[in-house]
Amino acid sequence: MIRRLPTLLSAALGLLVLALLSGGVGAAEPKTLRIGLQKSSTLISLLRQDGSLEKALEPLGVTVSWHEFTSGLPIMEALNAGQIDLSADVADTVPIFAQAAQARITYVAEEAASPTAQAILVAADSPIKSVADLKGRKVAVTKGAGSHYLLLAALAGESLPFKAINPAYLTPADGRAALASGNVDAWVAWDPFLSAAQQQTGARVLRDGTGLSLYKRYYLASDTYAGRRPDVLAVVVAKLGETGAWVKANPAEAARRLDLLWKLDEAVVLQANERRSYKVDLVRRDGLREQQTIADAFRAEGLLPRAVDASALGLWEPPTR
């Protein structure tokens, strides 16, 4: 018995370590919610500005840290790498690319369709009059963004494959600069960048998402965080819903607050907010049909490394008491 004690003790310690690593007995609950956001993350940005999310999470003993990114794909990379716990709203295409990269993520909530909040832009004096005229032209687009799918769908509507144009994969700021300088012939943008370019440079909408792309935006969490802190996510979703309703009910005040964050004219913000639904709801399995259409379109163009079942990601549900 004495000689077996070290073996039994080692085995017991090993089981304890496994339990801790798997979130079992004794595993500490995360006390900081790490949120990834980008400039167009309207509702999360407003919550960050007024501190109301932190206040709502105080009863749970949870604080918030904020991590800003230039676009949605880097947010997904950080989410999958365990560097953040929750992403602010990202375009509908972003989870598709993340899923193709085998990211371990869960849909938490969605903002309802806003098809006019993204569009293909050309300079005011451009000779380009239709999507068909983009053939052989250089088009700036942010890779993996909702605008990327809009471009695919618009070209397909003219029976043109993606290879019919010369894509320039640029961030929104670089895309706008390239269009203004004439280094690209068109730029696919989303709000508030879209409204800013229209009002400040006179850029002309060639085609928006109407009839082509619903343009929903999704909030996602890591699988691990969604499983361990559904209570925290319930508070976040409730605050997002309240904030979305407030923006629509108070457009002028919302524009003033966002003007301070975005450094844009209030008129630009008002136009951008008119185009966004900001209606927050839970994600339903049957509501992911266009996600599958997006995945199939990117796969057909060789832009995804593997086929994706868009309905295969986890769906967060509010905890039941």
Side-chain angles (χ1 to χ4, degrees):
M1 288 290 291
I2 294 175
R3 288 201 309 213
R4 290 185 59 204
L5 184 57
T7 302
L8 293 173
L9 183 58
S10 297
L13 288 172
L15 290 173
L16 178 59
V17 170
L18 285 174
L20 290 173
L21 291 175
S22 62
V25 177
E29 295 293 352
K31 293 299 183 182
T32 300
L33 171 62
R34 301 167 298 171
I35 299 178
L37 69 158
Q38 53 187 320
K39 188 171 184 177
S40 57
S41 301
T42 309
L43 304 185
I44 282 287
S45 294
L46 289 169
L47 289 172
R48 180 187 187 183
Q49 182 192 53
D50 66 13
S52 60
L53 180 58
E54 285 98 333
K55 186 174 182 180
L57 289 172
E58 280 179 3
L60 298 179
V62 172
T63 59
V64 179
S65 65
W66 308 93
H67 306 267
E68 201 159 328
F69 298 83
T70 57
S71 63
L73 283 180
I75 294 179
M76 291 296 100
E77 291 168 2
L79 193 64
N80 190 46
Q83 297 167 347
I84 59 172
D85 306 303
L86 175 71
S87 82
D89 55 306
V90 294
D92 40 18
T93 56
V94 176
I96 299 299
F97 277 90
Q99 192 176 356
Q102 300 180 313
R104 298 174 294 278
I105 54 178
T106 295
Y107 284 110
V108 174
E110 68 177 25
E111 286 182 16
S114 303
T116 61
Q118 56 178 359
I120 303 171
L121 291 173
V122 295
D125 59 354
S126 172
I128 297 173
K129 302 300 181 185
S130 69
V131 173
D133 293 338
L134 294 177
K135 185 176 181 180
R137 303 278 190 165
K138 192 172 184 180
V139 181
V141 64
T142 301
K143 191 171 187 177
S147 54
H148 195 165
Y149 175 66
L150 171 59
L151 180 58
L152 271 178
L155 291 170
E158 300 293 333
S159 300
L160 292 173
F162 191 65
K163 63 184 178 183
I165 57 104
N166 297 311
Y169 292 121
L170 300 173
T171 64
D174 290 340
R176 173 172 169 165
L179 182 66
S181 65
N183 287 332
V184 297
D185 300 294
W187 170 44
V188 199
W190 65 92
D191 273 317
F193 311 106
L194 168 61
S195 291
Q198 283 182 274
Q199 294 196 24
Q200 294 171 356
T201 72
R204 173 166 51 87
V205 170
L206 188 68
R207 184 75 162 87
D208 66 24
T210 304
L212 291 176
S213 170
L214 293 176
Y215 188 45
K216 291 183 178 181
R217 294 181 71 89
Y218 291 97
Y219 298 81
L220 298 106
S222 67
D223 286 350
T224 300
Y225 196 87
R228 292 182 67 183
R229 297 309 310 250
D231 55 337
V232 173
L233 295 180
V235 172
V236 174
V237 172
K239 293 299 295 181
L240 288 170
E242 291 173 11
T243 305
W246 178 84
V247 170
K248 285 302 188 181
N250 302 274
E253 187 177 351
R256 284 192 293 272
R257 284 181 57 187
L258 288 166
D259 173 44
L260 296 174
L261 294 173
W262 291 346
K263 310 300 181 187
L264 294 171
D265 293 339
E266 286 184 25
V268 171
V269 181
L270 278 169
Q271 180 172 298
N273 284 348
E274 285 173 3
R275 291 168 168 166
R276 289 275 294 275
S277 72
Y278 296 131
K279 185 179 186 302
V280 178
D281 205 348
L282 299 181
V283 180
R284 308 294 181 187
R285 197 74 66 185
D286 60 2
L288 294 172
R289 293 190 185 95
E290 184 166 277
Q291 290 296 90
Q292 191 60 56
T293 301
I294 292 170
D296 293 343
F298 279 121
R299 178 62 175 163
E301 291 292 339
L303 296 168
L304 288 181
R306 58 181 58 84
V308 165
D309 177 0
S311 67
L313 289 184
L315 301 186
W316 174 81
E317 294 182 0
T320 54
R321 295 187 180 276

